Amino acid sequence: HGNNIRILLMLTSEKYLGFSSPWLRGKGKHHFQFAIVGYDFYEMRDRIPRMAWEYNARLIFEQTDSAIDEISYLTTSNNIILHSMHRLDNEVELRFVESTGLEGMANFNINLECNQPRLTNFLGEGNMKLNEVADHVYSVHVRPQQIVTVRSEEHTSELQSH
């Protein structure tokens, strides 16, 4: 109703399908951490999943004695959230998920010297080339909540040097 907020922190059960379930009991000490964000539904609805991902993501720290230029290796459209970006031998693998619940086109820009990215399955199998819509900007059709894996052969060891 209007401005009321309801938060269900924990739902526990002593039994599941008639069987005792110790791990679903929820007994013991629990720690909950959350953020409440007020927003206009129509202006922010597409950004809420990304904000939730960023809130829950681990921070990455690097200790160094030298100055490092800030480099963004990847930029994406607002309808996908990057889950991982890593090297596998001489390839860069990206895994992202459609985050708005809507079918459509997702774009990303790889800022590395790579061959044209290809769509693969989770194991890296597949060779479907992606459409390049601008210089180093690629487009892929996504379904609601679809997890997408993309691989591209890297020309240099650019990621290792940073």
Side-chain angles (χ1 to χ4, degrees):
H1 300 320
N3 295 324
N4 293 341
I5 298 175
R6 294 182 186 168
I7 301 174
L8 177 62
L9 294 179
M10 182 175 243
L11 178 61
T12 65
S13 176
E14 292 287 326
K15 293 187 177 227
Y16 179 73
L17 297 174
F19 297 99
S20 178
S21 179
W23 100 202
L24 290 179
R25 285 190 186 133
K27 293 183 180 178
K29 185 177 179 179
H30 299 279
H31 174 77
F32 297 97
Q33 184 175 339
F34 54 92
I36 298 174
V37 178
Y39 65 95
D40 178 352
F41 179 76
Y42 295 104
E43 290 180 20
M44 292 276 296
R45 68 178 172 197
D46 295 341
R47 292 181 22 207
I48 293 300
R50 183 181 295 264
M51 289 172 64
W53 174 263
E54 290 169 356
Y55 180 80
N56 288 302
R58 291 184 185 156
L59 295 177
I60 299 172
F61 296 97
E62 182 177 332
Q63 185 175 355
T64 181
D65 293 332
S66 60
I68 297 176
D69 293 332
E70 186 175 313
I71 298 171
S72 178
Y73 292 115
L74 181 80
T75 55
T76 68
S77 55
N78 287 333
N79 61 335
I80 56 176
I81 296 174
L82 180 68
H83 277 220
S84 66
M85 177 178 179
H86 61 270
R87 291 178 59 107
L88 295 169
D89 297 322
N90 66 335
E91 291 186 314
V92 174
E93 181 182 85
L94 309 173
R95 185 159 294 146
F96 52 85
V97 64
E98 190 287 323
S99 63
T100 63
L102 301 171
E103 186 171 347
M105 298 307 288
N107 297 324
F108 61 92
N109 177 3
I110 300 177
N111 296 316
L112 297 169
E113 293 297 323
C114 293
N115 288 339
Q116 183 175 8
R118 67 187 196 288
L119 193 61
T120 71
N121 63 16
F122 276 17
L123 301 175
E125 302 164 338
N127 205 19
M128 185 177 139
K129 302 248 185 219
L130 301 177
N131 295 332
E132 187 171 11
V133 294
D135 190 31
H136 296 288
V137 177
Y138 299 92
S139 181
V140 60
H141 183 266
V142 291
R143 296 182 310 276
Q145 315 300 298
Q146 180 182 3
I147 299 171
V148 176
T149 303
V150 172
R151 284 195 182 182
S152 182
E153 187 176 328
E154 187 183 13
H155 292 299
T156 66
S157 58
E158 191 169 341
L159 276 179
Q160 289 180 340
S161 65
H162 292 287

